[in-house]
């Protein structure tokens, strides 16, 4: 179809601007790049860099107040000046798109088959039977099991990874020459992300489709892209081949970005001197009651956390990692007594936390604080920063006078890198990173000994992430804080944690010092998890031996018998299906695997996906 | 789904019981009785009449008797229309009301949804403002004002349509009553549709549909309509109640011999059994239709199916 031997898409001086009440705002300026057939170009940037707007402009999908200028020649024709109807005919056929969150990007009210057939009806004149075959074929192509049956399913009946596969299948229905993927794996767990990225590479080899990959994740870029455009605040900072970018970054921003990216192959923090544990958790279990599906159905128990034990000392950081639904947040909330516990013991400085009630429980909370994930949502929008940070003082130290309280708030705001004058401002006036500093100030003002950070940096850009982690480490040294650091990002956890707990389906599968866990992981799940993390280094990405786990995490309502991981484990033996493995010591790690220590690390790679 | 339906039907019984008991007591609390008229009846005749209709019993016993008969499908005799049972009166007049109500509901749904969609697609432009202004007027003007106005314009001044009655039963007689009944519902439904459609059109899956190159009409009808109609569907219950109460007034004004008119006459004449019959009948109708709305909800939103 190509009319010339030149690039498939050639973007020149693309600018996107928005008309706002405060005047015109440029989202993108002077963006130029070219994509050839079969090639993948990455557009990288932090939030607000204009990376998504730059491709929405190509597709004619800008919001009403948006305006694009410049040229973008696709197969010889300019997308920017093309009449709307012609562009619409090209969308979904010649160029198609995959979006970030497959739950909201698929229509929850229509069956998958219906959504796919609508695309075919629009672009190709196929009979009903041909359309059906085409849909089945497309689902099979993205390795969806039982594609015929799946066509009748609705998006909510699929897992996150499967939904994104359906997204991809729909985008590829009309065999587009260009696929635009806007953060296609950001909402997925790391093992599912690895499956998805591998699938995209395979399909590209089969079909020769050119890909524009938009992402904030430099690790994904290193493994997927041939060329990279780095955007900051709508401006191109750097445009180069992928090896070039990582080995010899030219622009100061790129260099900063690469330094800020936490790396799974970096060294962890030095181990603190061993001390008596502050907090001891002993075979803690948490259950949720699931409402019955039918009128007279029985209420069922969902075991979110099963028999987890751990210890935490002053000045120490315990990282907790695992994929969504593994129970890491539930564990933290149970330790803080924010939810009820089904069994086990939690003791803080020798006293039983689970036995505390009323005033004594409130007193204990002064020592146990928490920082939440979404920095803005966790702050009351109607309260000033001073009131938010000062509130724990009103609660725990009611004898302080107003001026004493103000002084403490000012001191705390300074400690987290904000100004005392910020006390009079409100949350919406701050950026995400600043709001998280407020969240940390609120958690620390009562001078707690244990702070739980529940995905505290997950919503932040990498450069901000690095600042917040630095801040946490500084405050930890100054106040001898014990931190529980929960995150799904293994590289971030590596950066801050002295010891790491890996969870799978509510159970602890491995608990080990950071250095041991990341260099010599013992549990097959830990190995798979670590091997799935993309590294921001093209050379090591190419040679990386990835253990691709098949399938996805089973439902915690129906956990597999025996070892919960046996359904996805390459080393599973009959014994694993019957006997729940206990934690036992292998090297310096506690591992819950019957065969830990006997599995050869070389022999771990399997290639079955889906 | 069957279990859900059954549980909802069982759950409706207490609602209906409370409705019946309250109405039963309220109408008896109202001053006057079914046998009061300008000409005073001799006391012994009135006493005989009261005994014949069991009105001399304690109220609770009367209620019990009424419920017992009701359970067997017997609404009792009318006090005013001496030769008719309440069942016969309802069976005779309900078809008229049903025709009126169904037409009003259809009109309200089709015009309301259409106007709401147009307003949503032309958000903050002239068409949007016109629809919303008209809707506000529709909501603000009560039916007993709207009805005479319509009659004045279309029957008296223009002479296009009859002013009242059923005449030969032709549709032209129903046009004005139907419009009067439907107007406030059109207005509500238009506002609801507009708000939810604007919301839906902003959702990511609509962006996906547009990115797939689908035409605006396909996006609107195939992708956006189902979710945008959910609030409208949940309003169908209250809309039905609105149309039923509205019909009481509208039938009276236009002289349509429907169930609503019997209800008003019955209340004025203290025709206890007739009033109770209409209350029970309409109450049940509203409960049943609300149940159907819930089932419809499950069809519209696959996440609610079990």
């Amino acid at each position: 179809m190509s009319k010339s031997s030149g690039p498939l898409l050639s973007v020149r001086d693309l600018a996107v601007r928005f008309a706002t009440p405060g005047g015109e705002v440029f989202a993108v300026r002077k963006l130029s790049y070219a994509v050839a057939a079969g090639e993948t170009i990455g557009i990288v940037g932090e939030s607000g860099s204009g990376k998504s707007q730059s491709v929405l402009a190509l597709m004619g999908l800008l919001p009403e107040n948006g305006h694009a200028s410049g040229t973008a020649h696709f197969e010889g024709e300019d997308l920017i000046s093309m009449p709307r109807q012609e562009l619409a005919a090209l969308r979904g056929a010649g160029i198609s798109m995959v979006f970030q969150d497959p739950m909201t990007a698929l229509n929850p009210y229509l069956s998958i088959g219906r959504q796919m057939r609508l695309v075919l009806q629009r672009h190709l004149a196929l009979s009903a039977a041909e359309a059906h075959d085409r849909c089945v074929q497309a689902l099979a192509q993205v390795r969806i099991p039982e594609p015929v049956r799946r066509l009748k399913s609705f998006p909510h009946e699929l897992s996150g990874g499967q939904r994104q596969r359906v997204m991809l299948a729909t985008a590829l229905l009309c065999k587009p020459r260009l696929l635009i993927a806007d953060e296609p794996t950001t909402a997925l767990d790391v093992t599912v992300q690895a499956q998805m990225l591998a699938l995209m590479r395979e399909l590209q080899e089969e079909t020769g489709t050119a890909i524009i990959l938009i992402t904030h994740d430099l690790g994904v870029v290193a493994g997927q892209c041939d060329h990279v455009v780095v955007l900051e605040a709508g401006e191109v900072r750097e445009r180069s081949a992928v090896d070039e970018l990582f080995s010899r970054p030219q622009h100061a921003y790129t260099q900063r970005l690469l330094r800020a990216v936490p790396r799974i192959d970096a060294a962890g923090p030095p181990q603190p001197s061993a001390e008596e544990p502050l907090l001891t958790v002993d075979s803690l279990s948490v259950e949720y009651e699931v409402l019955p599906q039918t009128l007279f159905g029985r209420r069922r128990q969902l075991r979110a956390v099963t028999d987890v034990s751990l210890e935490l000392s002053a000045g120490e950081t315990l990282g907790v990692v695992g994929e969504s639904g593994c129970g890491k947040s539930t564990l933290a909330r149970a330790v803080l007594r924010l939810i009820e516990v089904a069994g086990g013991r939690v003791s803080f400085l020798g006293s039983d936390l689970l036995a505390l009630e009323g005033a004594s429980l409130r007193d204990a909370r002064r020592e146990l604080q928490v920082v939440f994930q979404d920095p803005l949502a966790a702050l009351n929008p109607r309260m000033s920063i001073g009131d938010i940070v000062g509130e724990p003082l009103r609660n725990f130290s009611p004898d302080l006078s107003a001026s004493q309280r103000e002084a403490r708030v000012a001191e705390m705001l300074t400690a987290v890198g904000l100004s005392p004058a910020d006390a009079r401002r409100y949350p919406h006036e701050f950026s995400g990173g600043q709001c998280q500093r407020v969240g940390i100030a609120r958690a620390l003002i009562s001078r707690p000994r244990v702070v739980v950070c529940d995905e505290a940096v997950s919503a932040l850009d990498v450069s901000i992430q690095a600042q917040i982690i630095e801040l946490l480490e500084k405050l930890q040294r100054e106040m001898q804080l014990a931190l529980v650091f929960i995150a799904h990002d293994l590289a971030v956890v590596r950066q801050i944690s002295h010891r790491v707990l890996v969870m799978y389906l509510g159970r602890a599968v491995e608990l080990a010092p950071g250095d041991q866990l990341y260099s010599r992981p013992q549990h097959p799940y830990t190995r798979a998890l670590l091997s799935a993390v993309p590294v921001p280094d093209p050379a090591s990405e190419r040679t990386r031996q990835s253990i691709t786990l098949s399938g996805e995490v089973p439902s915690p309502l129906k956990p597999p018998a025996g070892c919960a991981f046996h359904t996805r484990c390459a080393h599973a033996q009959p014994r694993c299906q019957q006997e729940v493995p206990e934690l036992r010591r292998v090297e310096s790690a506690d591992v819950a695997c019957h065969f830990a220590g006997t599995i050869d690390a070389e022999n771990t790679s399997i290639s079955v996906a889906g | 789904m069957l279990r859900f339906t059954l549980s909802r039907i069982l759950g409706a019984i207490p609602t209906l019981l409370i409705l019946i008991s309250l109405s039963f007591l309220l109408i008896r609390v109202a001053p006057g009785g079914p046998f009061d008229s300008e000409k005073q009846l001799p006391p012994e005749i009135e006493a005989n009449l009261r005994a014949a209709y069991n009105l001399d019993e304690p109220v609770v016993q009367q209620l019990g008797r009424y419920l017992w008969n009701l359970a067997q499908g017997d609404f009792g005799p009318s006090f005013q229309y001496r030769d008719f049972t309440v069942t016969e009166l309802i069976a005779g007049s309900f078809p008229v009301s049903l025709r009126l109500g169904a037409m009003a509901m259809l009109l309200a749904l089709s015009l309301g949804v259409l106007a709401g969609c147009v307003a949503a697609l032309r958000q903050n432009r002239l068409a949007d403002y016109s629809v919303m202004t008209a809707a506000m007027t529709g909501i603000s003007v009560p039916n007993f004002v709207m009805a005479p106005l319509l009659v004045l314009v279309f029957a008296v001044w223009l002479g296009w349509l009859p002013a009242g009655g059923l005449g030969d039963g032709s549709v032209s007689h129903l046009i004005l009553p139907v419009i009067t009944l439907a107007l406030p519902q059109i207005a509500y439904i238009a506002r609801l549709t507009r708000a939810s459609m604007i919301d839906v059109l902003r959702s990511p899956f609509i962006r996906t549909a547009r990115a797939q190159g689908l035409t605006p009409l396909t996006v609107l009808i195939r992708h956006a309509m189902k979710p945008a109609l959910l609030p409208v569907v949940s309003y169908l219950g209250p809309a039905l109640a609105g149309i039923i109460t509205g019909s009481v007034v509208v039938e009276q004004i236009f002289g349509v011999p429907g169930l609503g008119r019997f209800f008003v006459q019955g209340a004025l004449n203290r025709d206890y059994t007739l009033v109770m019959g209409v209350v029970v009948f309409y109450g049940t109708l509203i409960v049943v239709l609300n149940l159907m709305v819930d089932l419809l909800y499950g069809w519209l939103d696959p996440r609610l199916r079990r």
Side-chain angles (χ1 to χ4, degrees):
Chain A
M1 259 234 202
S2 180
K3 283 172 190 158
S4 65
S5 57
L8 182 74
L9 173 74
S10 161
V11 177
R12 192 160 300 252
D13 289 333
L14 179 72
V16 179
R17 56 180 196 272
F18 288 95
T20 67
E24 282 211 326
V25 177
F26 274 86
V28 179
R29 283 175 205 266
K30 283 211 226 153
L31 174 62
S32 302
Y33 60 88
V35 195
E39 193 183 39
T40 300
I41 184 158
I43 300 183
V44 194
E46 298 185 286
S47 44
S49 64
K51 52 191 193 300
S52 290
Q53 300 304 337
S54 77
V55 288
L56 289 176
L58 301 183
M59 299 283 278
L61 293 175
L62 287 176
E64 275 197 12
N65 61 341
H67 179 82
S69 58
T71 60
H73 286 276
F74 176 75
E75 297 180 334
E77 293 191 65
D78 183 19
L79 300 174
I80 306 293
S81 60
M82 191 181 275
R84 291 173 77 100
Q85 269 146 12
E86 261 179 64
L87 184 57
L90 198 56
R91 287 202 296 258
I95 310 176
S96 50
M97 215 166 158
V98 174
F99 295 96
Q100 172 171 351
D101 183 353
M103 183 65 233
T104 56
L106 288 172
N107 192 332
Y109 302 93
L110 300 184
S111 71
I112 281 146
R114 186 89 187 268
Q115 298 186 47
M116 296 178 81
R117 280 193 301 274
L118 282 174
V119 179
L120 288 176
Q121 271 168 26
R122 167 71 171 93
H123 296 291
L124 305 173
L126 297 181
S127 70
E130 282 170 331
H132 178 264
D133 289 348
R134 190 76 169 257
C135 295
V136 171
Q137 199 188 331
L139 288 185
Q141 192 182 22
V142 297
R143 328 275 194 266
I144 294 264
E146 301 182 76
V148 179
R149 201 170 61 86
R150 274 299 170 216
L151 282 178
K152 293 197 191 71
S153 302
F154 287 87
H156 71 276
E157 295 166 318
L158 306 181
S159 66
Q162 284 185 326
R163 282 199 284 264
Q164 197 59 305
R165 281 161 195 267
V166 169
M167 246 343 256
L168 184 63
T170 314
L172 297 177
L173 266 180
C174 301
K175 308 204 185 319
R177 274 85 73 200
L178 175 64
L179 175 71
I180 300 176
D182 188 356
E183 301 270 11
T185 57
T186 306
L188 305 178
D189 277 320
V190 59
T191 59
V192 182
Q193 163 172 293
Q195 293 171 2
M196 189 72 194
L197 291 176
L199 178 66
M200 282 175 66
R201 278 194 305 265
E202 277 171 50
L203 291 179
Q204 186 176 35
E205 266 167 38
E206 277 171 39
T207 59
T209 308
I211 297 179
I212 299 179
L213 179 68
I214 295 166
T215 180
H216 68 281
D217 189 333
L218 285 162
V220 171
V221 170
Q224 299 289 120
C225 301
D226 304 306
H227 289 273
V228 187
V229 178
V230 181
L231 283 184
E232 187 206 5
E235 310 231 12
V236 178
R237 293 294 179 232
E238 186 153 354
R239 199 177 60 212
S240 53
V242 71
D243 293 280
E244 202 77 355
L245 183 90
F246 285 92
S247 59
R248 285 180 297 281
Q250 297 298 311
H251 196 278
Y253 174 72
T254 321
Q255 293 163 1
R256 253 200 338 269
L257 204 60
L258 281 170
R259 267 201 309 277
V261 176
R263 292 182 63 133
I264 201 161
D265 47 0
Q271 294 294 330
S273 50
E275 282 191 50
E276 280 297 290
L278 267 183
L279 184 76
T280 314
V281 175
D282 195 14
S283 39
L284 187 75
S285 295
V286 183
E287 288 178 352
Y288 290 118
E289 202 163 68
V290 182
L291 285 179
Q293 298 280 302
T294 52
L295 175 61
F296 302 106
R298 272 191 320 125
R299 280 165 187 254
R300 290 187 292 170
Q301 302 297 327
L302 182 155
R303 279 228 145 176
V305 173
T306 311
D307 284 343
V308 174
S309 305
L310 53 91
E311 285 177 353
L312 189 64
S313 311
E316 189 194 28
T317 303
L318 174 72
V320 182
V321 295
E323 296 180 283
S324 40
C326 73
K328 51 191 191 297
S329 289
T330 304
L331 171 69
R333 278 170 210 178
V335 169
L336 295 170
R337 285 280 313 263
L338 292 175
I339 50 175
E340 282 312 306
V341 166
R345 283 174 47 84
V346 179
S347 55
F348 176 70
L349 285 174
S351 70
D352 184 2
L353 262 187
L354 299 184
L356 297 181
E357 290 298 336
S360 53
L361 176 60
R362 224 161 57 131
D363 258 3
R365 290 223 160 111
R366 166 206 281 258
E367 308 275 6
L368 301 158
Q369 287 292 318
V370 57
V371 180
F372 293 103
Q373 171 167 11
D374 185 339
L376 191 55
L379 303 178
N380 187 336
R382 311 253 182 276
M383 280 169 79
S384 72
I385 300 302
D387 286 340
I388 290 172
V389 177
E391 193 172 41
L393 289 182
R394 285 174 191 273
N395 184 21
F396 295 123
S397 318
D399 341 320
L400 287 183
S401 71
S403 59
Q404 282 172 314
R405 205 162 50 227
E406 263 170 48
R408 285 275 297 275
V409 168
E411 187 190 327
M412 197 65 234
L413 287 177
T414 316
V416 297
L418 296 171
S419 141
D422 289 334
R424 277 188 297 280
R425 297 166 68 193
Y426 285 83
H428 68 268
E429 300 175 58
F430 292 90
S431 67
Q434 286 172 319
C435 282
Q436 201 56 299
R437 287 171 192 268
V438 174
I440 292 171
R442 174 180 61 181
L444 295 188
I445 198 160
S446 63
R447 296 182 182 143
R449 304 222 208 168
V450 177
V451 176
V452 174
C453 302
D454 189 357
E455 300 273 11
V457 299
S458 310
L460 306 175
D461 280 324
V462 277
S463 53
I464 312 295
Q465 231 175 38
Q467 293 169 13
I468 296 291
I469 288 190
E470 225 166 82
L471 173 68
L472 284 171
E473 286 181 325
K474 181 189 102 170
L475 295 169
Q476 176 171 49
R477 280 193 303 274
E478 287 169 7
M479 302 169 73
Q480 275 301 293
L481 288 177
L483 291 177
V484 178
F485 193 87
I486 299 170
H488 64 277
D489 184 336
L490 285 110
V492 176
V493 170
R494 166 70 174 155
Q495 206 178 359
I496 193 171
S497 308
H498 302 112
R499 284 187 306 141
V500 178
L501 170 69
V502 182
M503 290 183 70
Y504 186 79
L505 272 179
R507 287 177 188 273
V509 296
E510 185 160 356
L511 175 60
D515 294 334
Q516 153 88 35
L517 188 105
Y518 282 83
S519 60
R520 293 184 307 282
Q522 297 299 326
H523 197 283
Y525 178 64
T526 316
R527 288 183 183 179
L529 207 55
L530 288 173
S531 82
V533 178
V535 182
D537 179 350
S540 65
E541 270 296 285
R542 265 174 233 129
T543 55
R544 189 160 59 95
Q545 279 270 322
S546 168
I547 309 165
T548 315
L549 283 184
S550 57
E552 292 179 39
V553 183
S555 158
L557 266 176
K558 281 176 255 159
C563 172
F565 185 59
H566 84 255
T567 53
R568 300 171 78 196
C569 182
H571 312 282
Q573 303 288 323
R575 181 182 171 197
C576 303
Q577 297 172 23
Q578 286 142 20
E579 215 177 303
V580 179
E582 297 287 322
L583 277 179
R584 60 195 177 84
R585 184 54 65 99
V586 177
E587 297 188 21
S588 53
D590 292 315
V591 193
C593 173
H594 295 306
F595 302 103
T598 62
I599 301 168
D600 180 8
E602 303 304 308
N603 198 17
T604 45
S605 61
I606 48 164
S607 57
V608 194
Chain B
M1 201 51 113
L2 182 69
R3 272 199 168 146
F4 172 73
T5 313
L6 276 177
S7 74
R8 283 297 307 267
I9 291 175
L10 287 178
I13 290 177
T15 313
L16 282 175
L17 271 180
I18 293 171
L19 174 76
I20 293 169
S21 312
L22 265 181
S23 322
F24 196 88
L25 296 177
L26 276 177
I27 187 110
R28 277 167 176 71
V29 168
F35 309 115
D36 295 346
S37 59
E38 279 138 53
K39 220 172 72 187
Q40 197 72 39
L41 286 174
E44 52 284 8
I45 294 184
E46 202 187 325
N48 280 342
L49 269 171
R50 293 183 68 87
Y53 286 107
N54 301 313
L55 290 177
D56 50 347
E57 291 172 356
V59 177
V60 178
Q61 202 176 330
Q62 287 182 44
L63 178 60
R65 182 187 298 279
Y66 184 74
L67 288 172
W68 176 247
N69 288 337
L70 200 59
Q72 295 161 21
D74 181 7
F75 284 89
S78 166
F79 291 174
Q80 193 68 31
Y81 305 90
R82 294 282 156 79
D83 296 329
F84 295 93
T85 64
V86 170
T87 312
E88 284 165 345
L89 288 175
I90 291 177
S93 60
F94 178 64
V96 178
S97 293
L98 178 66
R99 203 161 151 224
L100 188 65
M103 282 168 76
M105 190 66 119
L106 271 180
L107 184 70
L109 272 177
S110 45
L111 266 186
V113 169
L114 187 70
C117 288
V118 168
L121 290 177
R122 296 267 173 276
Q123 198 194 344
N124 295 337
R125 302 209 205 126
L126 187 63
D128 181 22
Y129 292 135
S130 325
V131 168
M132 284 305 102
T133 311
M136 211 53 229
T137 318
I139 292 169
S140 319
V141 179
N143 48 17
F144 54 83
V145 175
M146 187 57 80
L149 275 179
L150 288 175
V151 169
L152 185 66
V153 175
F154 293 99
V156 180
W157 289 351
L158 297 172
W160 291 352
L161 295 165
L166 260 191
D168 51 1
S170 69
V171 177
S172 66
H173 285 88
L174 283 178
I175 290 179
L176 288 184
V178 164
I179 289 176
T180 313
L181 258 186
L183 269 179
Q185 308 305 334
I186 295 175
Y188 263 119
I189 291 173
R191 289 173 63 91
L192 272 175
T193 309
R194 174 185 181 270
S196 71
M197 185 57 95
I198 286 175
D199 222 38
V200 170
L201 287 177
R202 284 200 194 118
S203 47
F205 63 82
I206 294 299
R207 188 180 60 179
T208 308
R210 293 181 57 212
Q212 289 165 345
L214 303 186
T215 59
L217 198 65
T218 315
V219 172
L220 181 80
I221 293 176
R222 300 299 195 85
H223 276 279
M225 198 55 98
K226 242 174 145 186
L229 281 184
L230 284 175
V232 177
V233 168
S234 53
Y235 175 68
L236 283 182
L240 176 79
I243 282 185
I244 288 175
T245 47
S247 74
V248 172
V249 177
V250 167
E251 286 176 10
Q252 194 68 23
I253 293 177
F254 287 97
V256 178
L259 194 48
R261 203 146 160 262
F262 274 111
F263 185 60
V264 174
Q265 299 298 330
L268 291 177
N269 294 331
R270 301 289 182 270
D271 191 340
Y272 294 163
T273 42
L274 179 57
V275 169
M276 285 310 299
V278 179
V279 165
V280 171
F281 182 73
Y282 272 158
T284 314
L285 194 66
I286 287 181
V287 166
V288 168
L289 275 156
N290 270 313
L291 173 64
M292 281 166 64
V293 164
D294 285 345
L295 296 177
L296 191 61
Y297 229 88
W299 175 74
L300 279 173
D301 192 342
R303 286 168 296 186
L304 298 178
R305 290 178 202 164
R306 350 185 165 205

